[in-house]
Amino acid sequence: MQNRFGMFIHWGLYAIPAVHEQVLARGDWRHEDYEALAGQFNPVLYDPDEWVRLAAEAGMRYICFTAKHHDGFCLWDTKQTDYNVMHTPYGRDTLYMLAEACAKHGMDLSIYYSIPDWHHPAAYNPLSSHQWKAKDPGHPDMAAYIAFVKAQVRELLTGYGKIYSFFWDIPPQIGDPSVNALVRSLQPGILINDRGFDRGDFATPERTVPEGDRFTAMTEACQSVGAESWGYRAEEDYFTARHLMSSVDKIMAMGGSYLLNAGPTAEGVIPEKSRELLRRIGRWYRRAAEGLENTEAPARTYTLRGREPCIVTERGGSTYFHFWRGLDTTALTFLDEDLPTPARATLLNNGAALTLRYGTLPTLMDPDHVARRQVWSIADIPADEIPDEPPVIRVEWA
Ligand code: GLC
């Protein structure tokens, strides 16, 4: 994927109760009461320019917006249902406003669209999870529902400019290649995730940090700033910036993209705590990005003496060592016999030039006596000065 770091936005009526984006199904709401929240939706402080500026500050290049979540409420001027933002006190097309702000700031826009729809009477699909179980499922009719989905897709992909990627949610377990064919015909070049009516283009590990050093397929991982909810939650359990930076570093060094979510409030504001986190991550990310964006897997392997897990990327002749879990020691020694000669080593986190040493490996500790060899070390790494960031070290070769 060309864009590697993006902002996920979960926003909808559920921001009003401020508990969870699926509060309608998981809480004890009656359907009528939840849908009546549309009569209160009035995000008077909604300023999409602010969201876009925040994303840019974090180093992000695209925003993925929940046009419709499982509750079925639509955040654009859809003609397919009245259950949409135009029929609220706010009465303005929130997606259109965001699309304008993105275009103005050169931010790409992606769309999230839930296939489960707890409002549409034909939408019940027993093959898929996240269906509304408590309500009379109406008259399940997937053919009719897919026609509705296609009509909405047509609106979303023709009325809002260029759309970078399409994020279906909750695999319907029904194959229908005509749906993504429509998506592609309306937006040539769009990327589609793997949660729709066919496998699409990219995988979507959610809230996990996958094992391994390298993804084998196109991947966009997603995570939220809080552990409890994707939608705004008043009593959220926020992740630490350290944890999120580690995840971003690991997943992006593996070649994946990373979509980090924030849930704006019912007034339309991204909560202060989320903003702080995104800015904090951005301060690290913008320095580490050269070792993450447009990089490749290394052309060779490196054997570092040490315990810390490390993923290596390369770009333009430089090699980047990502210690996504942090460093335990202040020196790294290469055990490779055929190591090219390092010319310079830099800690990207603070730009510190690191000491390069060529000498005999300190011996007595080493049972294999590999120690007699002459080896290169990177020494005096000021890791303690960046205790809450994953260190990224750039090595330029002679
Ligand atoms: C899960 C949740 C859903 C959320 C999505 C984001 O599927 O059920 O509420 O929108 O993750 O990837």
Side-chain angles (χ1 to χ4, degrees), residues 4-15:
R4 301 295 301 283
F5 193 27
M7 178 187 266
F8 212 171
I9 291 280
H10 272 68
W11 197 37
L13 298 182
Y14 43 80

Side-chain angles (χ1 to χ4, degrees), residues 73-310:
F73 181 74
C74 301
L75 284 166
W76 78 100
D77 182 9
T78 177
K79 305 297 180 230
Q80 313 309 319
T81 171
D82 286 346
Y83 192 42
N84 75 55
V85 68
M86 305 309 286
H87 297 259
T88 65
Y90 193 61
R92 298 172 67 190
D93 186 333
T94 41
L95 175 62
Y96 193 83
M97 294 164 72
L98 179 62
E100 274 187 324
C102 284
K104 186 163 118 199
H105 297 277
M107 182 71 60
D108 282 345
L109 178 63
S110 298
I111 286 176
Y112 166 107
Y113 184 98
S114 168
I115 300 173
D117 184 322
W118 302 332
H119 177 79
H120 195 290
Y124 186 76
N125 169 15
L127 298 175
S128 136
S129 63
H130 296 71
Q131 298 297 316
W132 176 253
K133 301 207 178 65
K135 189 194 172 201
D136 167 7
H139 307 282
D141 179 348
M142 277 312 274
Y145 180 58
I146 290 174
F148 167 84
V149 169
K150 284 182 170 174
Q152 290 208 312
V153 160
R154 194 173 281 283
E155 293 175 347
L156 290 167
L157 299 183
T158 54
Y160 299 89
K162 184 173 179 324
I163 302 300
Y164 169 67
S165 59
F166 204 87
F167 194 118
W168 295 108
D169 199 17
I170 310 298
Q173 315 289 358
I174 293 171
D176 184 344
S178 73
V179 184
N180 280 347
L182 174 68
V183 171
R184 292 186 205 281
S185 75
L186 298 171
Q187 291 272 344
I190 195 170
L191 294 169
I192 306 175
N193 80 350
D194 62 351
R195 300 188 189 177
F197 295 86
D198 63 40
R199 295 173 62 102
D201 302 311
F202 62 90
T204 53
E206 181 179 300
R207 286 200 186 278
T208 59
V209 179
E211 298 290 323
D213 281 0
R214 206 71 205 168
F215 290 117
T216 50
M218 201 193 291
T219 300
E220 179 196 68
C222 55
Q223 174 61 292
S224 190
V225 291
E228 297 294 334
S229 173
W230 296 79
Y232 171 60
R233 177 177 173 87
E235 296 177 353
E236 184 55 276
D237 169 9
Y238 285 92
F239 286 112
T240 59
R242 178 73 182 77
H243 171 73
L244 293 172
M245 284 183 244
S246 290
S247 313
V248 171
D249 196 27
K250 166 111 199 324
I251 285 165
M252 288 187 54
M254 287 173 74
S257 291
Y258 200 95
L259 203 48
L260 181 57
N261 175 78
T265 65
E267 290 73 37
V269 173
I270 296 178
E272 180 54 28
K273 178 72 190 153
S274 307
R275 293 208 300 270
E276 265 170 36
L277 267 173
L278 292 171
R279 289 199 190 101
R280 175 67 191 92
I281 293 164
R283 283 200 294 283
W284 163 79
Y285 179 76
R286 279 181 284 117
R287 282 175 273 129
E290 70 159 273
L292 293 168
E293 296 182 2
N294 302 312
T295 57
E296 286 165 13
R300 52 161 294 152
T301 56
Y302 297 89
T303 310
L304 283 166
R305 185 182 199 241
R307 294 175 298 271
E308 301 88 347
C310 171

